[in-house]
Structures are given as C-alpha cells and as structure tokens.
Amino acid sequence: MSRHGLSSFRGTPPGVVLIRRLRGGKDWSLTTYRYAVLLITFIAYACYHASRKPSSIVKSVLYPEHAHGHNSSSAPLPWPLGDVFIQDKIHPGDLGDGRFGSSGWAPFNEADGTSKLGEIDVAFLACYSLGMYVAGHLGDRLDLRLFLTFGMIGSGIFVGLFGMGYFWNLHVFFFYLAMQMVAGLFQATGWPSVVAVIGNWFGKRKRGLIMGIWNAHTSVGNISGSLLAAAVLDYGWGWSFIVPGALIVLGGVLVYLFLAAYPEDVGFPCANSSSVSGEHPCPDDMEAQTQEGNANIKPHSVSTSSMGSGSKRSVGLIEACRIPGVMSFAMCLFFSKLVAYTFLYWLPFYLSQTEIGGRYVSVKSAGNLSTLFDVGGIAGGILAGYISDKLNARAMTAASFMYLAIPSMLLYRKYGNESKRINILLMMVAGLFVNGPYSLITTAVSADLGTHASLRGDSRALATVTAIIDGTGSVGAAFGPLLTGFMSKKGWDAVFEMLMACALIAGLLLTRLVAAEIRDKFQKLMELSNRQQSGEDSSSQPLLSNRS
C-alpha cells in the first residue's frame, strides 16, 4: 500500500465510522468536529497530568515529618470549602495498612528521603524532556491518533506499576526510579501530539483565547489527579498511582476510537496549508464563513489519499530551531516551567510541612488544598490568551506575567501562613501569574510558530516545534524539583528565592522579542497616522482648487 493510501486508511477513527453508519451516512459539520477534537484532546491531556500528580501527593507518606505536632482541633471551614480542606485526625505517617506504620516507606524514609524523592522527580522529567524531542519528530511522521493512544496506554501501565510496589512490598530504589523513567518516556508523546492536532483543526484567529481555555486541561488534570490520589490514599499509597494509571488507559481508548487528528482524514481539506490550489478553503477561511452564518460546512468530496496527513513533508529539528522566535520562547519556557513544575511536585509537601494559621494540615488536606493553585492557573491561561489576542503580542504578555509572578510568590511565602483564607487567595494569585505564560507559550505560541510563514504551508512542523519548545522547558522542569529536594533542607526561603530568580530570567529572555513587538506596533501606528494625514490632505485639495 502506498504511503498516502496508508495514511488515509489510518486516518478515520473507528468510532467516527460507526457514528456515520448510525446516522445513515450523514457526517458531522466542521464545527461539530472541532468541538469533538477540543473535547477529546482536553480529556486526553487532562489524563496525562492526572497521572503525574500522585508522586506529589504521597511524598509526605513516603517521607513523614515528625518535627511538628498535629492538632486536629481546627474548626471546619464554611461552604464551599466544607470538609475538603479540614485537618484530618490521621497523621501523615499513619496512613496505610500497617506495613510501614508511622515510619514511612523505605528507601524514602531515611535522612536523605527528600533528596531521593527529588531524584525520582528529575528522573521522570529528564526522560520526559529527552523523549519530547524524539516524540515531536515522530509525531510529524506517524499517525497522531495511534501515536497518542500508544503513549497514553504505556503511561498508564508504568504509573500503575509504580503503585504496585506498595502491594508487592518492594523497597528497592532502582525499581521506583526505573518505573518513573519509563513513564516519562511514554508521557513525552502527549503534548506534541495534542498541540499538533489542535493546530491542524484551528486557524490563527483567536488562537490564544481558544488555546487558553483549552489549556485548562493541565490544571483540570492536576486537580483531578490530586483529588483522586488523595481520595484513595487511606487504602494504601499504591492506589494513588493505580487509579490515575487506569484513568489514562481509558483515555487512550477514547482517543483511538474517536480522535480525528487531521481535517483531511475525515474529508475536510487543507490544514494550515497555503499550497492547496485554491479550490477549497483553509481553516481560517472556513472559520470566516462560519462566522458569516455558514455554520454547517460539510466535507468536500476530496480524496484523503491525496490530501491526507501523509501528503506534507516533515521538518527536521535543525530547520525547526531556525524558525524565528522558537529558541527564545524555548529558553523562556525552560525557566517558566521550572517554576511551574516545582509547584506541581512540591506544593502539597510544602503545605503539609508549613504551619498555616497556627496549625498544620494533613497530607490528604494538603493535596486537596494544592489544587487551588491550579484553579488560579486556569484563569491565568485564559487571561494570558485573551490579552495576547487583543494586543497581538505573545512575547509582551508572557514577559509581563513572568515579572508579576515574582511579587505574587514573595507575598505567598511571606503572608501565606497567616490563615487558610489568605493562603488560598495568595496561592491562586501565584498560580495565575506562574501558569499564565507557561500555558500561553506551550499552546498558542507553539502553534503559531509551528505554522510560521517561513514554512510556506507545505511542511508539517507543529509537533516538532512544540517538542522543541516544551522539551527545552521540560529540562528546566526537571531541574526545579531536583533543586527543591536539596534546597528545602536549608529552608523554604531559599526555594522561593530560586523560583523568583528563575521568573525574572524567564521574562528577560523575551526582551528582544518584546522590543520587536513594540517596534512593530509603533511602525503600524506611524503608518496609520501617515495614511490619515494623507487622506486629509487629499480631501482638502478640491476645496483649495475651488477657492482659486
């Protein structure tokens, strides 16, 4: 079978074929397909992030801290917090079935326990970041639906195997290290694939806002993963890995059945391509038609074998790095993601070890409380996308958010222990400014650069560019939790100073792009002023001639 024919055969998901048959051969409109793609990719990446959260939730179980007392006499909080964030009567070390009692879980309950936990995190993230470059390159060559399915099921298996160490009563550090490393490789398949799919289906109009809303899957996944892991923690910490692992496997099945990776694969032509002969509209054109009232655009009767996902050449890593702005945003994300992932992996532990309002919260409550950082992150992603669309200035928006993240983290560290309400408020504000630029760069910016004008529409670079940017960011994400594991021994002030310094560097790395955006806007303003002035001069000339 030819390459094009194989691409066509692989392109149509079996679930879509079944739905067409059930509807008597009728197909969905472009708008319906877009909603379906948004929903499926949202669920898929939420599952990815949900499966990453258990390690942060169980840190205080594997390495319990006995340096502080545990007061369970705090009054319950009012609605809507209710019983979710109360102080449990269970001490962090008392969870489980008695096999490790109050002493934690070897080998993480020793003096270097936090360092070992940091090494586990960095092993995962190092393999994740290295795998990202390979995954992005493969994503532009293979069928994205099958590639994503493979990655999700593989991730679920190895996340679950980490939790099985509890039931198998394993205390070998290398086992947990190996499980995290392999899971990191499988997790690398997710981000380049889902961003490429969204970039294929949506034009550049309001891309920042659409992707800002869509990128809430990161925070939704973090929140659901935290709640799931905390909910089953009382039955043994192994369940905190097995349940999210099973969830991502089910998500992989959903992707295999229903995700159409390219519009061409279900009969719609031209995804981010200007090389089509002009007979069919591209996504931007189709979007404009939809806004004019033609909302029920139907697939054209084109051959997917000639227009399908295999008809475009893929871009190499070196060529993708030369796209203007790719490396600047990639290095910015290195430091931005370092900050975001330090909160992702260590915030529940920090909350359980920090006195808030004169009391300590339990491991379970700390896991639930940490989800509010991601609630702020959802608002930050949407706000950053909306502002960047309005200003048409991705770099200015991202840099501004990074600079504002510095005082927000300073205030959280200094005043977050005053009371739970103040802690929640400042945590959400910090989440807004920390996750806003991280969300913007990994979504709208990556999609913009992956369909850059320099590619002339005839290349497939979405997954590759996304992999370069997010892969570089993931290297920073690996360093953050690792450094935190060591620096937390010196005190949390040192950790927050490191995070604020990284936020400053992230903003400064975009200075050249910010200056270019300001210069471009100034030039456009001058051109507009000149046109208005020339228009006034031409309109006054007839009056002068009449007077003469």
Side-chain angles (χ1 to χ4, degrees):
M1 183 178 292
S2 68
R3 180 186 176 190
H4 291 167
L6 180 61
S7 174
S8 176
F9 174 76
R10 294 186 308 183
T12 305
V16 173
V17 174
L18 178 61
I19 290 173
R20 285 174 177 174
R21 290 176 180 173
L22 293 176
R23 299 185 72 212
K26 294 181 180 179
D27 202 3
W28 287 340
S29 67
L30 173 70
T31 302
T32 303
Y33 270 115
R34 280 179 165 173
Y35 282 132
V37 167
L38 278 175
L39 178 61
I40 294 169
T41 52
F42 186 99
I43 294 172
Y45 209 68
C47 290
Y48 271 101
H49 262 261
S51 67
R52 296 177 194 174
K53 283 298 291 183
S55 64
S56 67
I57 300 300
V58 303
K59 273 186 171 70
S60 293
V61 175
L62 301 177
Y63 178 77
E65 175 63 57
H66 303 292
H68 56 74
H70 190 73
N71 189 338
S72 61
S73 62
S74 59
L77 295 176
W79 188 91
L81 302 182
D83 294 334
V84 178
F85 304 125
I86 63 170
Q87 178 136 358
D88 291 346
K89 297 179 180 180
I90 302 173
H91 189 276
D94 295 334
L95 294 166
D97 60 3
R99 273 185 287 177
F100 61 103
S102 61
S103 60
W105 187 269
F108 302 105
N109 60 348
E110 301 166 1
D112 61 345
T114 55
S115 299
K116 280 190 169 68
L117 291 170
E119 290 168 15
I120 287 286
D121 290 341
V122 77
F124 172 88
L125 292 167
C127 290
Y128 175 76
S129 59
L130 292 174
M132 186 77 71
Y133 296 102
V134 179
H137 201 51
L138 291 175
D140 281 329
R141 285 164 167 75
L142 303 177
D143 182 88
L144 284 172
R145 176 174 60 89
L146 299 179
F147 188 56
L148 194 55
T149 300
F150 171 75
M152 294 181 74
I153 294 176
S155 296
I157 291 172
F158 284 94
V159 168
L161 284 175
F162 189 103
M164 288 303 297
Y166 169 81
F167 298 99
W168 294 336
N169 200 24
L170 286 174
H171 299 276
V172 181
F173 177 69
F174 179 76
F175 170 81
Y176 299 105
L177 186 70
M179 292 304 101
Q180 284 289 76
M181 291 173 71
V182 179
L185 290 174
F186 277 102
Q187 289 264 324
T189 61
W191 191 241
S193 300
V194 294
V195 172
V197 171
I198 293 297
N200 291 332
W201 277 94
F202 288 86
K204 293 187 178 181
R205 294 181 183 180
K206 298 183 179 179
R207 180 178 273 172
L209 177 59
I210 291 171
M211 287 193 154
I213 297 171
W214 171 76
N215 195 58
H217 54 51
T218 299
S219 297
V220 169
N222 291 340
I223 292 169
S224 59
S226 297
L227 295 177
L228 277 175
V232 297
L233 192 59
D234 291 351
Y235 303 101
W237 63 261
W239 286 109
S240 295
F241 288 87
I242 292 173
V243 173
L247 179 67
I248 193 173
V249 170
L250 291 176
V253 174
L254 175 69
V255 166
Y256 174 76
L257 291 176
F258 296 104
L259 180 64
Y262 292 88
E264 302 96 318
D265 294 337
V266 286
F268 289 97
C270 188
N272 290 307
S273 174
S274 60
S275 61
V276 182
S277 60
E279 298 175 8
H280 309 295
C282 289
D284 281 329
D285 302 322
M286 290 190 284
E287 184 176 358
Q289 293 178 21
T290 301
Q291 292 173 348
E292 291 170 5
N294 191 14
N296 294 316
I297 300 172
K298 294 294 188 292
H300 295 277
S301 56
V302 296
S303 171
T304 57
S305 64
S306 61
M307 301 272 307
S309 58
S311 61
K312 300 188 181 95
R313 71 177 182 89
S314 56
V315 168
L317 288 173
I318 302 300
E319 186 179 354
C321 287
R322 291 173 179 168
I323 297 173
V326 167
M327 292 312 299
S328 295
F329 277 111
M331 291 308 301
C332 172
L333 190 63
F334 177 96
F335 292 96
S336 174
K337 202 167 182 179
L338 186 155
V339 177
Y341 266 61
T342 299
F343 277 97
L344 173 68
Y345 278 93
W346 284 95
L347 183 57
F349 184 83
Y350 170 75
L351 289 168
S352 68
Q353 309 302 323
T354 303
E355 188 175 348
I356 301 174
R359 297 181 176 89
Y360 289 92
V361 297
S362 69
V363 177
K364 185 174 182 178
S365 294
N368 292 332
L369 187 62
S370 68
T371 61
L372 295 174
F373 180 85
D374 292 294
V375 173
I378 293 174
I382 295 172
L383 184 62
Y386 176 78
I387 292 173
S388 70
D389 278 343
K390 280 291 184 181
L391 300 178
N392 192 25
R394 308 286 198 216
M396 279 195 290
T397 304
S400 299
F401 270 67
M402 289 312 308
Y403 292 139
L404 290 171
I406 297 172
S408 71
M409 288 188 286
L410 179 63
L411 290 172
Y412 178 66
R413 173 57 185 162
K414 190 171 183 179
Y415 299 105
N417 61 349
E418 295 291 330
S419 70
K420 286 185 179 178
R421 289 179 178 83
I422 294 176
N423 188 286
I424 289 170
L425 176 62
L426 294 178
M427 187 194 308
M428 292 176 69
V429 172
L432 186 149
F433 290 117
V434 168
N435 281 357
Y438 162 47
S439 168
L440 180 65
I441 294 171
T442 54
T443 54
V445 169
S446 295
D448 287 349
L449 296 175
T451 56
H452 196 268
S454 64
L455 297 170
R456 300 178 183 177
D458 60 354
S459 303
R460 291 169 55 181
L462 276 167
T464 302
V465 168
T466 301
I468 291 171
I469 292 176
D470 201 49
T472 304
S474 296
V475 176
F479 278 105
L482 176 66
L483 292 174
T484 301
F486 291 103
M487 297 181 69
S488 61
K489 295 179 179 180
K490 300 179 180 179
W492 288 103
D493 286 339
V495 174
F496 276 84
E497 288 169 4
M498 174 194 72
L499 296 179
M500 289 185 284
C502 289
L504 176 62
I505 295 171
L508 292 175
L509 283 167
L510 295 180
T511 301
R512 184 176 60 83
L513 295 178
V514 170
E517 287 180 349
I518 294 174
R519 188 165 53 249
D520 182 61
K521 290 187 176 299
F522 181 75
Q523 288 176 351
K524 288 181 179 179
L525 186 63
M526 292 296 295
E527 290 174 0
L528 179 62
S529 177
N530 291 335
R531 284 199 299 268
Q532 290 176 343
Q533 186 175 0
S534 62
E536 291 174 359
D537 292 342
S538 61
S539 61
S540 63
Q541 285 179 3
L543 294 175
L544 292 173
S545 61
N546 288 337
R547 287 177 183 176
S548 60

